[in-house]
Amino acid sequence: MPTNDKIKSPNPETRRITVQAKYFLAAWQFISTNETRYFLRGVHVEPHPDGGALLVATNGHILCAIHDETAKIGDGESWICFAPQSIRTALNKRDAGHLHFVGNSAYVTTQDWTKRQGAAGQSPDILTEHHIAVSWAPPIDATYPQWRASLPATHSTPTREIAINGDNVARITKAAKLVSDPKQPPILNWFTPATPCHPVIIRTDRNDSFFAVIMPMRGRDDNTAYPAWLPEPETAKPAPANDSTPAPAETETAA
């Protein structure tokens, strides 16, 4: 994935971000756990030109982008946001409403805070009974990769076989549930590439804000759809044309 040469050195004191809790938790499923790739160990929050913010995360093999239309991000800055375990635990709670990054700290507030305190314009760093987690969470001081450059072009010609890491499919399924109605099954729409070497685009009709890209793996060498122990079904024979079927004999009726 292409990266920028210039390393960003933001002033953490200016960071002011508010995003939906479940959206951030969904994006968190895709971060890297590799210590050497520290710049991928957080969610990249960037302003969206149509309003709100994009939450982007990738480990180099799979990528997720979520458009949070209600997000607020100050000064038009982009940040790589790390969430410690205490914050992630709070994000899993049913009443988690929003996640706020203020300076070097992170705050999780309930849905009630959003309706009552948030509507009045109160700063999230003023603690109330609606705060369910507060933690030290400085931003990651780095420049995020140019993730748009890695997106594949769409194609209409399907490939015969694509091998996908099942753990990545599980991540996408969990993320789709987090950003959608949990009572509904997470419908995943797969857009197959022109060749097995290109990434696969995945979306869900449950929430159009969700977008994912997954890199394929090396598949089997035989490239057959059915295993050897299951004979491939025979092609169904077409039904005879109407003119090849004898017409029933007409029955004479009395005049």
Side-chain angles (χ1 to χ4, degrees):
M1 183 176 293
T3 57
N4 293 322
D5 294 332
K6 183 180 179 181
I7 299 298
K8 176 183 177 182
S9 297
N11 179 9
E13 297 299 326
T14 65
R15 186 172 61 155
R16 296 292 186 276
I17 297 174
T18 295
V19 296
Q20 295 186 54
K22 298 305 181 186
Y23 278 24
F24 188 92
L25 185 59
W28 187 264
Q29 310 307 311
F30 303 87
I31 69 162
S32 175
T33 57
N34 189 332
E35 294 287 347
T36 61
R37 309 187 75 182
Y38 69 98
F39 51 91
L40 298 182
R41 292 176 59 82
V43 175
H44 187 243
V45 183
E46 61 181 75
H48 192 280
D50 294 333
L54 280 180
L55 282 61
V56 182
T58 181
N59 62 9
H61 301 281
I62 184 172
L63 179 146
C64 171
I66 303 174
H67 181 202
D68 186 347
E69 297 180 351
T70 64
K72 298 179 180 179
I73 179 169
D75 299 331
E77 291 276 1
S78 296
W79 301 88
I80 306 176
C81 298
F82 179 81
Q85 182 60 48
S86 60
I87 292 296
R88 302 198 301 273
T89 300
L91 295 179
N92 263 310
K93 294 184 178 180
R94 181 177 300 179
D95 61 342
H98 283 82
L99 171 61
H100 314 269
F101 292 99
V102 180
N104 284 314
S105 300
Y107 304 82
V108 180
T109 53
T110 65
Q111 297 173 359
D112 287 340
W113 182 92
T114 304
K115 296 176 181 178
R116 302 174 185 176
Q117 306 295 337
Q122 184 170 352
S123 175
D125 57 341
I126 300 177
L127 301 184
T128 69
E129 68 275 15
H130 300 296
H131 283 67
I132 54 178
V134 178
S135 178
W136 174 259
I140 296 176
D141 187 2
T143 298
Y144 206 69
Q146 299 176 2
W147 60 273
R148 290 177 177 82
S150 64
L151 299 182
T154 56
H155 299 277
S156 59
T157 304
T159 186
R160 292 187 62 189
E161 177 186 357
I162 300 176
I164 298 296
N165 186 323
D167 288 341
N168 287 337
V169 177
R171 289 188 181 96
I172 294 175
T173 301
K174 181 177 180 179
K177 288 182 178 180
L178 286 168
V179 302
S180 308
D181 184 353
K183 298 180 181 179
Q184 299 293 331
I187 305 300
L188 301 179
N189 306 106
W190 296 67
F191 295 84
T192 57
T195 72
C197 300
H198 287 81
V200 178
I201 296 175
I202 303 174
R203 299 179 62 186
T204 174
D205 56 5
R206 300 300 188 194
N207 190 332
D208 195 50
S209 298
F210 178 84
F211 172 83
V213 178
I214 185 171
M215 293 297 297
M217 302 176 64
R218 180 181 176 85
R220 295 172 294 107
D221 294 331
D222 57 6
N223 198 31
T224 57
Y226 290 95
W229 51 263
L230 179 62
E232 186 172 350
E234 296 182 0
T235 304
K237 297 181 179 179
N242 291 335
D243 56 1
S244 66
T245 304
E250 294 183 1
T251 303
E252 296 183 357
T253 55

